[in-house]
Amino acid sequence: MSHGSQIKNTGVQGTTITVTFRRQVADILKPEHDDYYLLRWLRARQWNPDAAEKMLRDSMKFRERWNTDEIAKWPTPQILRDYSPHGVSGYDKEGSPIIIIPFAGFDIWGLLHSVSRADIIRMTMQALEGYMQLAYEQSRKTNDPASRQFVVVFDMDNFNLKQYIWRPASEVVISLIKMYEANYPEILKCCYIINAPKVFAFAYNMVKKFLGEYTIDKIRIYKPDRSKWLPAILERCDADQIPAYFGGTQTDPDGNVRCEQKICWGGKVPKELYTSKEDSFNNNLSFTETEIRKGSKLKLTFDCEDAGCFLKWEFRTYDSDIKFGVKCVNKKTDESIIEVPLKRVSSHQVDESGFITCQPGCTYHVLFDNSYSYFKTKKIRYSVLMTAPLSDVEQTMAPVAVTEELVPEGEAGGED
């Protein structure tokens, strides 16, 4: 949809659509969800109220699973605080936060050897939620809802593509993009990708297919030529809101042109902070080691009786990947919900971990699937447990039935 069409829809027609949409989703809205909030979802789905409703309801379920409303209270691992490059340098001419991301400082290899993928996702959510809260406060000061969007500057200087060819790294990046697109529509005002080397085009083409058109239209990519990208940024942002390192006039009180008091530049994670394969399982969890034969599955079943329970998992395989997924079945209605889509994960390259919030009166089926493999038996070490309500310290294992189900070779997929 063109920009003109979007403007047209913000008039009488847009008001009518917004009223209809508000009526459809009234049961899940909160007091702070004003018309501007609703417009975000409508624009992301080209003013189709039904599609926007599905998107919003799916996002609400996602937020419930990850307890996003309380994400600010999550104790971010110190390594992520020290080595996740991002920060707010100031505000654009309309009052929107300016987020600076020195992307070369994002050592995805080092972080994935130090924390779990789930931690990186939670950290990203925590940052986004924090920026949204800041932008919301700005909009109240400026009395302009446009302040609720962000201006983002990605500095791709010294970008290293090699890290992202590593499958676990590319999977994390794609997961983050999908999470952003599905749950944070229309919070981006403009994105400047500066100092992009030639190899960046290859990386961008890989991830572009996961971006919505409404996001792609706001991205501006510039080669390492300050005479091109700096005027574009300064057209939207005053110089005193941009670090001097990037051509603005802003510095830290001590004269630091990189404004490191506001922006974390990340950097290479020291190897002494890496968690070894053995040490990653020293967190007082009980682990089981077994083999899943070729063409077979390992299925773990948990019953949730009380509200406030969490299903948590951590596992690794040896030599080869495996399919992993989680399904929830309501014991009264037999309705099935896919909590974690069944897909192949590179758990032989980096430990896999995560959790979901459970609903009472439901059965949760955790599946390790090796049915696609004709020849390889997969060795796996895992800990899957359901915590008691509000039990962050003592983790209690709920009753679990473990079954191994053989699949006839004719139904198995090709070898990995």
Side-chain angles (χ1 to χ4, degrees):
M1 177 175 287
S2 68
H3 182 64
S5 298
Q6 290 197 11
I7 292 176
K8 180 180 178 181
N9 274 320
T10 58
V12 176
Q13 182 183 0
T15 301
T16 303
I17 294 174
T18 304
V19 170
T20 300
F21 182 42
R22 177 176 289 279
R23 190 179 302 119
Q24 291 177 213
V25 297
D27 58 306
I28 58 173
L29 293 182
K30 298 180 180 180
E32 64 268 24
H33 292 161
D34 57 12
D35 284 352
Y36 188 84
Y37 174 84
L38 296 178
L39 285 171
R40 287 174 43 206
W41 305 89
L42 286 167
R43 286 175 177 144
R45 287 297 178 263
Q46 299 185 330
W47 301 93
N48 182 326
D50 293 335
E53 178 185 1
K54 183 181 186 307
M55 183 184 188
L56 177 55
R57 289 188 183 277
D58 288 345
S59 180
M60 288 296 187
K61 291 177 182 177
F62 171 86
R63 294 179 67 86
E64 183 179 349
R65 285 199 301 270
W66 285 85
N67 196 25
T68 307
D69 289 343
E70 301 293 326
I71 197 72
K73 299 177 182 177
W74 177 61
T76 312
Q78 189 62 44
I79 193 169
L80 289 176
R81 293 179 181 273
D82 294 340
Y83 293 95
S84 298
H86 66 101
V88 175
S89 67
Y91 304 92
D92 77 353
K93 295 176 182 179
E94 293 180 314
S96 295
I98 302 169
I99 301 171
I100 307 291
I101 303 177
F103 198 76
F106 186 41
D107 179 12
I108 186 68
W109 172 277
L111 290 175
L112 282 173
H113 281 79
S114 309
V115 297
S116 69
R117 301 185 202 194
D119 283 342
I120 293 177
I121 292 173
R122 276 191 289 268
M123 178 272 297
T124 305
M125 291 168 55
Q126 190 180 61
L128 285 170
E129 292 291 322
Y131 289 145
M132 288 182 67
Q133 181 61 36
L134 176 62
Y136 182 77
E137 293 169 359
Q138 280 294 112
S139 72
R140 298 186 69 177
K141 293 178 183 177
T142 63
N143 198 28
D144 184 356
S147 301
R148 294 194 208 176
Q149 292 184 305
F150 312 149
V151 174
V152 181
V153 178
F154 273 95
D155 179 20
M156 305 306 294
D157 190 32
N158 294 317
F159 171 70
N160 180 9
L161 180 63
K162 184 178 179 180
Q163 286 199 62
Y164 300 93
I165 296 176
W166 183 46
R167 183 171 166 180
S170 61
E171 287 177 347
V172 167
V173 171
I174 290 171
S175 294
L176 291 174
I177 292 172
K178 287 182 175 180
M179 183 266 293
Y180 167 81
E181 286 291 309
N183 300 283
Y184 297 94
E186 287 293 322
I187 64 171
L188 179 66
K189 179 184 286 187
C190 187
C191 176
Y192 301 96
I193 299 177
I194 64 174
N195 297 321
K198 290 182 179 180
V199 71
F200 174 75
F202 175 76
Y204 184 64
N205 285 333
M206 286 197 303
V207 303
K208 188 176 180 180
K209 61 183 178 181
F210 300 104
L211 295 170
E213 187 176 328
Y214 59 91
T215 299
I216 294 174
D217 287 345
K218 299 175 182 179
I219 296 176
R220 306 288 181 266
I221 302 175
Y222 297 91
K223 297 177 182 179
D225 185 349
R226 178 172 293 199
S227 67
K228 300 291 185 182
W229 53 257
L230 183 57
I233 294 175
L234 293 180
E235 185 177 344
R236 187 180 296 273
C237 310
D238 291 327
D240 62 356
Q241 302 297 300
I242 301 296
Y245 181 87
F246 295 112
T249 60
Q250 185 183 93
T251 64
D252 283 337
D254 62 0
N256 188 327
V257 297
R258 303 203 324 167
C259 298
E260 293 181 48
Q261 293 184 16
K262 293 183 174 182
I263 301 166
C264 174
W265 284 69
K268 193 170 182 59
V269 177
K271 287 189 176 181
E272 56 266 28
L273 297 180
Y274 285 13
T275 303
S276 72
K277 283 288 187 181
E278 300 307 319
D279 291 342
S280 64
F281 286 89
N282 67 356
N283 49 9
N284 298 321
L285 297 179
S286 176
F287 284 85
T288 300
E289 191 167 293
T290 189
E291 291 184 345
I292 306 176
R293 297 191 297 273
K294 55 187 179 181
S296 299
K297 303 175 184 179
L298 176 65
K299 184 177 180 181
L300 309 177
T301 303
F302 299 81
D303 288 323
C304 178
E305 304 296 343
D306 302 304
C309 294
F310 291 87
L311 181 68
K312 300 183 178 182
W313 60 85
E314 182 172 350
F315 66 91
R316 72 166 179 261
T317 50
Y318 300 85
D319 300 325
S320 299
D321 62 10
I322 199 162
K323 283 186 177 180
F324 174 79
V326 181
K327 181 175 70 172
C328 168
V329 178
N330 187 298
K331 289 192 280 190
K332 287 186 177 180
T333 65
D334 286 330
E335 179 187 4
S336 294
I337 298 175
I338 303 300
E339 294 284 353
V340 179
L342 183 66
K343 66 176 183 178
R344 293 170 71 164
V345 295
S346 303
S347 50
H348 61 305
Q349 294 180 318
V350 63
D351 300 335
E352 187 76 20
S353 65
F355 74 95
I356 57 173
T357 305
C358 299
Q359 300 300 321
C362 293
T363 298
Y364 289 82
H365 301 286
V366 178
L367 187 64
F368 296 99
D369 186 353
N370 194 33
S371 63
Y372 61 92
S373 181
Y374 277 128
F375 306 110
K376 286 186 179 179
T377 292
K378 307 292 176 66
K379 185 178 179 182
I380 183 171
R381 191 181 186 197
Y382 67 88
S383 172
V384 184
L385 56 86
M386 185 172 287
T387 65
L390 304 178
S391 174
D392 292 328
V393 180
E394 295 183 2
Q395 296 176 323
T396 305
M397 178 73 82
V400 55
V402 182
T403 62
E404 183 170 300
E405 170 188 344
L406 288 176
V407 178
E409 288 188 7
E411 297 179 17
E415 177 55 67
D416 48 343

